[in-house]
Amino acid sequence: MSANSRLTIAAHALAWIGLYQRQGHEVATSEQIATSANTNPVVIRRLLGDLRRAGLVESRRGMGAGWSLGRDLESMTLLDVYEAVESGPLFAMHRTTPDQECVVGHGIQPAMQDVYDGIEKTLRSELARVTLAHVLQDVLAAPR
């Protein structure tokens, strides 16, 4: 099972746009952001579409097309980004109902759901503590 990088790439894109705008630019292109993230511009456009639906970025078409922040980085948390780009719960149960005649099959889902609910609550709490302004600040302070 591979790890999901959507939250990381979305945070990367937002921090990049934020820095680019602080440098005096109005909009950023998905190609510019993709170069920084070393990924395909299509991946960036899909994520930016999710972020736009959440109000975190805005897009401009036509002459001077590109992406800009929909809110200040100080008012965006990693939880906002997570909710924009991740669908569904962090962990899932079986695709089919386990054998309810088996003691383990009967009790595994309630036992695991309690654990998963606690993890999800902790994750959301931690993500809500960190703004994208903090992320950008840490990025800029990282040794090169």
Side-chain angles (χ1 to χ4, degrees), residues 11-36 48 60 64-69 73 132 136 139-140:
H12 183 136
L14 289 165
W16 197 93
I17 294 169
L19 178 60
Y20 196 61
Q21 287 184 296
R22 286 181 183 179
Q23 293 171 340
H25 304 278
E26 282 189 44
V27 295
T29 67
S30 53
E31 289 79 10
Q32 291 169 316
I33 301 164
T35 298
S36 176
L48 291 171
R60 183 186 300 174
W67 300 89
S68 60
L69 296 178
L73 291 180
L132 269 291
L136 181 56
V139 164
L140 296 174

mmCIF file of all heavy atoms in Angstrom, residues 11-36 48 60 64-69 73 132 136 139-140:
data_model
loop_
_atom_site.group_PDB
_atom_site.id
_atom_site.type_symbol
_atom_site.label_atom_id
_atom_site.label_comp_id
_atom_site.label_asym_id
_atom_site.label_seq_id
_atom_site.Cartn_x
_atom_site.Cartn_y
_atom_site.Cartn_z
ATOM 1 N N ALA A 11 -0.364 21.405 -0.261
ATOM 2 C CA ALA A 11 0.304 22.380 0.613
ATOM 3 C C ALA A 11 1.485 23.012 -0.112
ATOM 4 O O ALA A 11 1.719 24.220 0.000
ATOM 5 C CB ALA A 11 0.762 21.709 1.909
ATOM 6 N N HIS A 12 2.207 22.218 -0.875
ATOM 7 C CA HIS A 12 3.327 22.715 -1.679
ATOM 8 C C HIS A 12 2.819 23.788 -2.648
ATOM 9 O O HIS A 12 3.393 24.881 -2.733
ATOM 10 C CB HIS A 12 3.941 21.535 -2.446
ATOM 11 C CG HIS A 12 5.141 21.872 -3.259
ATOM 12 N ND1 HIS A 12 6.261 21.085 -3.272
ATOM 13 C CD2 HIS A 12 5.415 22.886 -4.114
ATOM 14 C CE1 HIS A 12 7.169 21.600 -4.081
ATOM 15 N NE2 HIS A 12 6.666 22.706 -4.613
ATOM 16 N N ALA A 13 1.749 23.478 -3.356
ATOM 17 C CA ALA A 13 1.197 24.423 -4.335
ATOM 18 C C ALA A 13 0.755 25.720 -3.673
ATOM 19 O O ALA A 13 1.053 26.813 -4.165
ATOM 20 C CB ALA A 13 0.024 23.783 -5.077
ATOM 21 N N LEU A 14 0.078 25.618 -2.549
ATOM 22 C CA LEU A 14 -0.393 26.825 -1.859
ATOM 23 C C LEU A 14 0.766 27.663 -1.337
ATOM 24 O O LEU A 14 0.760 28.897 -1.466
ATOM 25 C CB LEU A 14 -1.342 26.443 -0.725
ATOM 26 C CG LEU A 14 -2.699 25.921 -1.170
ATOM 27 C CD1 LEU A 14 -3.413 25.244 -0.011
ATOM 28 C CD2 LEU A 14 -3.545 27.050 -1.750
ATOM 29 N N ALA A 15 1.760 27.014 -0.759
ATOM 30 C CA ALA A 15 2.927 27.753 -0.261
ATOM 31 C C ALA A 15 3.660 28.419 -1.426
ATOM 32 O O ALA A 15 4.085 29.576 -1.318
ATOM 33 C CB ALA A 15 3.865 26.811 0.503
ATOM 34 N N TRP A 16 3.760 27.711 -2.549
ATOM 35 C CA TRP A 16 4.441 28.269 -3.716
ATOM 36 C C TRP A 16 3.690 29.488 -4.250
ATOM 37 O O TRP A 16 4.293 30.528 -4.511
ATOM 38 C CB TRP A 16 4.586 27.197 -4.815
ATOM 39 C CG TRP A 16 5.598 27.564 -5.844
ATOM 40 C CD1 TRP A 16 6.913 27.214 -5.857
ATOM 41 C CD2 TRP A 16 5.395 28.385 -6.997
ATOM 42 N NE1 TRP A 16 7.535 27.762 -6.955
ATOM 43 C CE2 TRP A 16 6.623 28.482 -7.672
ATOM 44 C CE3 TRP A 16 4.294 29.042 -7.531
ATOM 45 C CZ2 TRP A 16 6.784 29.210 -8.847
ATOM 46 C CZ3 TRP A 16 4.446 29.779 -8.700
ATOM 47 C CH2 TRP A 16 5.685 29.852 -9.346
ATOM 48 N N ILE A 17 2.385 29.372 -4.381
ATOM 49 C CA ILE A 17 1.582 30.511 -4.852
ATOM 50 C C ILE A 17 1.712 31.677 -3.877
ATOM 51 O O ILE A 17 1.871 32.829 -4.283
ATOM 52 C CB ILE A 17 0.104 30.120 -5.032
ATOM 53 C CG1 ILE A 17 -0.055 29.091 -6.157
ATOM 54 C CG2 ILE A 17 -0.755 31.351 -5.328
ATOM 55 C CD1 ILE A 17 -1.437 28.454 -6.221
ATOM 56 N N GLY A 18 1.643 31.379 -2.583
ATOM 57 C CA GLY A 18 1.768 32.432 -1.573
ATOM 58 C C GLY A 18 3.087 33.171 -1.674
ATOM 59 O O GLY A 18 3.131 34.408 -1.626
ATOM 60 N N LEU A 19 4.172 32.437 -1.813
ATOM 61 C CA LEU A 19 5.485 33.061 -1.950
ATOM 62 C C LEU A 19 5.568 33.858 -3.252
ATOM 63 O O LEU A 19 6.046 34.993 -3.266
ATOM 64 C CB LEU A 19 6.587 32.002 -1.903
ATOM 65 C CG LEU A 19 8.017 32.520 -2.074
ATOM 66 C CD1 LEU A 19 8.374 33.521 -0.966
ATOM 67 C CD2 LEU A 19 9.001 31.357 -2.106
ATOM 68 N N TYR A 20 5.075 33.298 -4.318
ATOM 69 C CA TYR A 20 5.105 33.955 -5.631
ATOM 70 C C TYR A 20 4.338 35.280 -5.585
ATOM 71 O O TYR A 20 4.799 36.292 -6.101
ATOM 72 C CB TYR A 20 4.511 32.995 -6.662
ATOM 73 C CG TYR A 20 4.795 33.322 -8.103
ATOM 74 C CD1 TYR A 20 6.097 33.370 -8.591
ATOM 75 C CD2 TYR A 20 3.753 33.542 -8.991
ATOM 76 C CE1 TYR A 20 6.351 33.640 -9.930
ATOM 77 C CE2 TYR A 20 3.995 33.813 -10.329
ATOM 78 C CZ TYR A 20 5.304 33.863 -10.796
ATOM 79 O OH TYR A 20 5.554 34.128 -12.119
ATOM 80 N N GLN A 21 3.195 35.263 -4.907
ATOM 81 C CA GLN A 21 2.415 36.496 -4.777
ATOM 82 C C GLN A 21 3.131 37.504 -3.881
ATOM 83 O O GLN A 21 3.089 38.709 -4.153
ATOM 84 C CB GLN A 21 1.007 36.199 -4.263
ATOM 85 C CG GLN A 21 0.139 35.557 -5.326
ATOM 86 C CD GLN A 21 -1.282 35.329 -4.874
ATOM 87 O OE1 GLN A 21 -1.537 34.567 -3.957
ATOM 88 N NE2 GLN A 21 -2.209 36.010 -5.521
ATOM 89 N N ARG A 22 3.782 37.054 -2.837
ATOM 90 C CA ARG A 22 4.553 37.959 -1.974
ATOM 91 C C ARG A 22 5.692 38.621 -2.737
ATOM 92 O O ARG A 22 6.138 39.703 -2.378
ATOM 93 C CB ARG A 22 5.114 37.206 -0.768
ATOM 94 C CG ARG A 22 4.072 36.873 0.263
ATOM 95 C CD ARG A 22 4.659 36.162 1.441
ATOM 96 N NE ARG A 22 3.611 35.788 2.380
ATOM 97 C CZ ARG A 22 3.835 35.128 3.497
ATOM 98 N NH1 ARG A 22 5.064 34.781 3.838
ATOM 99 N NH2 ARG A 22 2.838 34.820 4.290
ATOM 100 N N GLN A 23 6.145 37.963 -3.783
ATOM 101 C CA GLN A 23 7.211 38.516 -4.620
ATOM 102 C C GLN A 23 6.667 39.483 -5.673
ATOM 103 O O GLN A 23 7.420 39.960 -6.507
ATOM 104 C CB GLN A 23 7.985 37.384 -5.302
ATOM 105 C CG GLN A 23 8.757 36.535 -4.323
ATOM 106 C CD GLN A 23 9.339 35.285 -4.966
ATOM 107 O OE1 GLN A 23 8.909 34.822 -6.020
ATOM 108 N NE2 GLN A 23 10.344 34.720 -4.299
ATOM 109 N N GLY A 24 5.358 39.748 -5.637
ATOM 110 C CA GLY A 24 4.768 40.746 -6.517
ATOM 111 C C GLY A 24 4.045 40.229 -7.742
ATOM 112 O O GLY A 24 3.562 41.014 -8.553
ATOM 113 N N HIS A 25 3.937 38.930 -7.884
ATOM 114 C CA HIS A 25 3.235 38.356 -9.031
ATOM 115 C C HIS A 25 1.752 38.176 -8.706
ATOM 116 O O HIS A 25 1.408 37.859 -7.575
ATOM 117 C CB HIS A 25 3.842 37.008 -9.414
ATOM 118 C CG HIS A 25 5.310 37.085 -9.701
ATOM 119 N ND1 HIS A 25 5.819 37.484 -10.909
ATOM 120 C CD2 HIS A 25 6.388 36.836 -8.912
ATOM 121 C CE1 HIS A 25 7.132 37.467 -10.864
ATOM 122 N NE2 HIS A 25 7.513 37.088 -9.653
ATOM 123 N N GLU A 26 0.897 38.381 -9.696
ATOM 124 C CA GLU A 26 -0.546 38.249 -9.463
ATOM 125 C C GLU A 26 -1.021 36.812 -9.497
ATOM 126 O O GLU A 26 -1.788 36.383 -8.643
ATOM 127 C CB GLU A 26 -1.322 39.060 -10.501
ATOM 128 C CG GLU A 26 -1.343 40.542 -10.200
ATOM 129 C CD GLU A 26 -2.301 41.260 -11.124
ATOM 130 O OE1 GLU A 26 -3.420 40.767 -11.342
ATOM 131 O OE2 GLU A 26 -1.915 42.319 -11.624
ATOM 132 N N VAL A 27 -0.607 36.070 -10.530
ATOM 133 C CA VAL A 27 -1.073 34.694 -10.683
ATOM 134 C C VAL A 27 0.097 33.776 -11.015
ATOM 135 O O VAL A 27 1.113 34.197 -11.564
ATOM 136 C CB VAL A 27 -2.152 34.562 -11.793
ATOM 137 C CG1 VAL A 27 -3.409 35.322 -11.426
ATOM 138 C CG2 VAL A 27 -1.617 34.999 -13.139
ATOM 139 N N ALA A 28 -0.077 32.508 -10.687
ATOM 140 C CA ALA A 28 0.913 31.479 -10.991
ATOM 141 C C ALA A 28 0.282 30.474 -11.941
ATOM 142 O O ALA A 28 -0.921 30.230 -11.874
ATOM 143 C CB ALA A 28 1.349 30.773 -9.709
ATOM 144 N N THR A 29 1.077 29.882 -12.791
ATOM 145 C CA THR A 29 0.553 28.864 -13.691
ATOM 146 C C THR A 29 0.765 27.475 -13.092
ATOM 147 O O THR A 29 1.670 27.272 -12.264
ATOM 148 C CB THR A 29 1.235 28.915 -15.068
ATOM 149 O OG1 THR A 29 2.608 28.538 -14.925
ATOM 150 C CG2 THR A 29 1.116 30.309 -15.694
ATOM 151 N N SER A 30 -0.050 26.549 -13.517
ATOM 152 C CA SER A 30 0.105 25.177 -13.038
ATOM 153 C C SER A 30 1.447 24.601 -13.487
ATOM 154 O O SER A 30 2.036 23.778 -12.789
ATOM 155 C CB SER A 30 -1.059 24.304 -13.500
ATOM 156 O OG SER A 30 -1.232 24.387 -14.887
ATOM 157 N N GLU A 31 1.943 25.054 -14.624
ATOM 158 C CA GLU A 31 3.242 24.596 -15.103
ATOM 159 C C GLU A 31 4.369 25.045 -14.163
ATOM 160 O O GLU A 31 5.291 24.275 -13.867
ATOM 161 C CB GLU A 31 3.514 25.100 -16.532
ATOM 162 C CG GLU A 31 2.662 24.440 -17.594
ATOM 163 C CD GLU A 31 1.232 24.991 -17.686
ATOM 164 O OE1 GLU A 31 0.921 26.032 -17.048
ATOM 165 O OE2 GLU A 31 0.419 24.358 -18.381
ATOM 166 N N GLN A 32 4.303 26.288 -13.689
ATOM 167 C CA GLN A 32 5.315 26.784 -12.760
ATOM 168 C C GLN A 32 5.289 25.981 -11.457
ATOM 169 O O GLN A 32 6.336 25.593 -10.932
ATOM 170 C CB GLN A 32 5.067 28.263 -12.444
ATOM 171 C CG GLN A 32 5.320 29.198 -13.599
ATOM 172 C CD GLN A 32 4.809 30.597 -13.303
ATOM 173 O OE1 GLN A 32 3.711 30.785 -12.786
ATOM 174 N NE2 GLN A 32 5.627 31.596 -13.634
ATOM 175 N N ILE A 33 4.098 25.763 -10.939
ATOM 176 C CA ILE A 33 3.952 25.023 -9.681
ATOM 177 C C ILE A 33 4.414 23.581 -9.873
ATOM 178 O O ILE A 33 5.111 23.018 -9.024
ATOM 179 C CB ILE A 33 2.494 25.074 -9.176
ATOM 180 C CG1 ILE A 33 2.066 26.532 -8.966
ATOM 181 C CG2 ILE A 33 2.336 24.258 -7.899
ATOM 182 C CD1 ILE A 33 0.563 26.717 -8.855
ATOM 183 N N ALA A 34 4.054 22.982 -11.007
ATOM 184 C CA ALA A 34 4.438 21.598 -11.295
ATOM 185 C C ALA A 34 5.947 21.444 -11.365
ATOM 186 O O ALA A 34 6.495 20.425 -10.922
ATOM 187 C CB ALA A 34 3.794 21.135 -12.602
ATOM 188 N N THR A 35 6.632 22.440 -11.905
ATOM 189 C CA THR A 35 8.091 22.398 -11.961
ATOM 190 C C THR A 35 8.665 22.338 -10.550
ATOM 191 O O THR A 35 9.561 21.538 -10.263
ATOM 192 C CB THR A 35 8.644 23.623 -12.726
ATOM 193 O OG1 THR A 35 8.159 23.575 -14.066
ATOM 194 C CG2 THR A 35 10.159 23.642 -12.719
ATOM 195 N N SER A 36 8.146 23.157 -9.652
ATOM 196 C CA SER A 36 8.621 23.152 -8.272
ATOM 197 C C SER A 36 8.348 21.825 -7.583
ATOM 198 O O SER A 36 9.178 21.309 -6.843
ATOM 199 C CB SER A 36 7.968 24.292 -7.484
ATOM 200 O OG SER A 36 8.349 24.234 -6.131
ATOM 201 N N LEU A 48 -5.598 21.844 -7.732
ATOM 202 C CA LEU A 48 -6.033 23.241 -7.663
ATOM 203 C C LEU A 48 -7.539 23.355 -7.887
ATOM 204 O O LEU A 48 -8.189 24.219 -7.303
ATOM 205 C CB LEU A 48 -5.261 24.099 -8.662
ATOM 206 C CG LEU A 48 -3.780 24.306 -8.329
ATOM 207 C CD1 LEU A 48 -3.052 24.988 -9.488
ATOM 208 C CD2 LEU A 48 -3.605 25.104 -7.050
ATOM 209 N N ARG A 60 -7.993 32.350 -12.982
ATOM 210 C CA ARG A 60 -8.264 33.390 -13.967
ATOM 211 C C ARG A 60 -8.046 32.765 -15.340
ATOM 212 O O ARG A 60 -7.037 32.115 -15.571
ATOM 213 C CB ARG A 60 -7.310 34.564 -13.754
ATOM 214 C CG ARG A 60 -7.566 35.718 -14.696
ATOM 215 C CD ARG A 60 -6.535 36.807 -14.570
ATOM 216 N NE ARG A 60 -6.488 37.366 -13.223
ATOM 217 C CZ ARG A 60 -5.577 38.245 -12.846
ATOM 218 N NH1 ARG A 60 -4.645 38.659 -13.690
ATOM 219 N NH2 ARG A 60 -5.583 38.719 -11.620
ATOM 220 N N GLY A 64 -3.423 36.459 -19.184
ATOM 221 C CA GLY A 64 -2.971 36.510 -17.792
ATOM 222 C C GLY A 64 -3.568 35.401 -16.951
ATOM 223 O O GLY A 64 -3.764 35.558 -15.746
ATOM 224 N N ALA A 65 -3.864 34.260 -17.573
ATOM 225 C CA ALA A 65 -4.482 33.135 -16.875
ATOM 226 C C ALA A 65 -3.551 32.583 -15.804
ATOM 227 O O ALA A 65 -2.328 32.650 -15.923
ATOM 228 C CB ALA A 65 -4.846 32.043 -17.862
ATOM 229 N N GLY A 66 -4.147 32.040 -14.772
ATOM 230 C CA GLY A 66 -3.365 31.412 -13.714
ATOM 231 C C GLY A 66 -4.151 31.291 -12.427
ATOM 232 O O GLY A 66 -5.365 31.467 -12.405
ATOM 233 N N TRP A 67 -3.434 31.008 -11.376
ATOM 234 C CA TRP A 67 -4.009 30.727 -10.061
ATOM 235 C C TRP A 67 -3.505 31.732 -9.038
ATOM 236 O O TRP A 67 -2.343 32.123 -9.058
ATOM 237 C CB TRP A 67 -3.617 29.321 -9.624
ATOM 238 C CG TRP A 67 -4.096 28.275 -10.569
ATOM 239 C CD1 TRP A 67 -3.433 27.798 -11.674
ATOM 240 C CD2 TRP A 67 -5.330 27.580 -10.516
ATOM 241 N NE1 TRP A 67 -4.194 26.849 -12.296
ATOM 242 C CE2 TRP A 67 -5.359 26.691 -11.602
ATOM 243 C CE3 TRP A 67 -6.421 27.616 -9.645
ATOM 244 C CZ2 TRP A 67 -6.433 25.843 -11.855
ATOM 245 C CZ3 TRP A 67 -7.489 26.774 -9.882
ATOM 246 C CH2 TRP A 67 -7.502 25.899 -10.975
ATOM 247 N N SER A 68 -4.396 32.117 -8.129
ATOM 248 C CA SER A 68 -4.017 32.984 -7.016
ATOM 249 C C SER A 68 -4.688 32.462 -5.757
ATOM 250 O O SER A 68 -5.625 31.656 -5.821
ATOM 251 C CB SER A 68 -4.429 34.437 -7.285
ATOM 252 O OG SER A 68 -5.829 34.524 -7.466
ATOM 253 N N LEU A 69 -4.221 32.928 -4.621
ATOM 254 C CA LEU A 69 -4.817 32.507 -3.350
ATOM 255 C C LEU A 69 -6.226 33.069 -3.221
ATOM 256 O O LEU A 69 -6.467 34.215 -3.576
ATOM 257 C CB LEU A 69 -3.969 32.978 -2.172
ATOM 258 C CG LEU A 69 -2.560 32.398 -2.075
ATOM 259 C CD1 LEU A 69 -1.830 33.006 -0.887
ATOM 260 C CD2 LEU A 69 -2.591 30.879 -1.975
ATOM 261 N N LEU A 73 -2.671 33.111 3.484
ATOM 262 C CA LEU A 73 -2.089 31.898 4.049
ATOM 263 C C LEU A 73 -2.310 31.815 5.556
ATOM 264 O O LEU A 73 -2.427 30.730 6.111
ATOM 265 C CB LEU A 73 -0.592 31.839 3.741
ATOM 266 C CG LEU A 73 -0.196 31.616 2.281
ATOM 267 C CD1 LEU A 73 1.327 31.589 2.156
ATOM 268 C CD2 LEU A 73 -0.804 30.350 1.722
ATOM 269 N N LEU A 132 -1.033 27.645 6.679
ATOM 270 C CA LEU A 132 -0.127 27.612 5.533
ATOM 271 C C LEU A 132 0.953 28.672 5.660
ATOM 272 O O LEU A 132 2.050 28.515 5.124
ATOM 273 C CB LEU A 132 -0.913 27.768 4.230
ATOM 274 C CG LEU A 132 -1.374 26.458 3.588
ATOM 275 C CD1 LEU A 132 -0.230 25.663 3.036
ATOM 276 C CD2 LEU A 132 -2.237 25.612 4.469
ATOM 277 N N LEU A 136 4.864 27.872 5.082
ATOM 278 C CA LEU A 136 5.773 28.665 4.261
ATOM 279 C C LEU A 136 6.946 29.176 5.092
ATOM 280 O O LEU A 136 8.095 29.167 4.649
ATOM 281 C CB LEU A 136 5.038 29.815 3.583
ATOM 282 C CG LEU A 136 5.901 30.708 2.679
ATOM 283 C CD1 LEU A 136 6.624 29.901 1.599
ATOM 284 C CD2 LEU A 136 5.066 31.815 2.071
ATOM 285 N N VAL A 139 9.294 26.374 5.494
ATOM 286 C CA VAL A 139 9.943 26.109 4.204
ATOM 287 C C VAL A 139 11.098 27.084 3.997
ATOM 288 O O VAL A 139 12.211 26.695 3.633
ATOM 289 C CB VAL A 139 8.926 26.232 3.046
ATOM 290 C CG1 VAL A 139 9.621 26.349 1.695
ATOM 291 C CG2 VAL A 139 7.948 25.068 3.057
ATOM 292 N N LEU A 140 10.840 28.355 4.241
ATOM 293 C CA LEU A 140 11.860 29.372 4.017
ATOM 294 C C LEU A 140 13.015 29.277 5.006
ATOM 295 O O LEU A 140 14.133 29.690 4.712
ATOM 296 C CB LEU A 140 11.235 30.767 4.053
ATOM 297 C CG LEU A 140 10.215 31.050 2.935
ATOM 298 C CD1 LEU A 140 9.552 32.402 3.151
ATOM 299 C CD2 LEU A 140 10.858 30.963 1.572
#
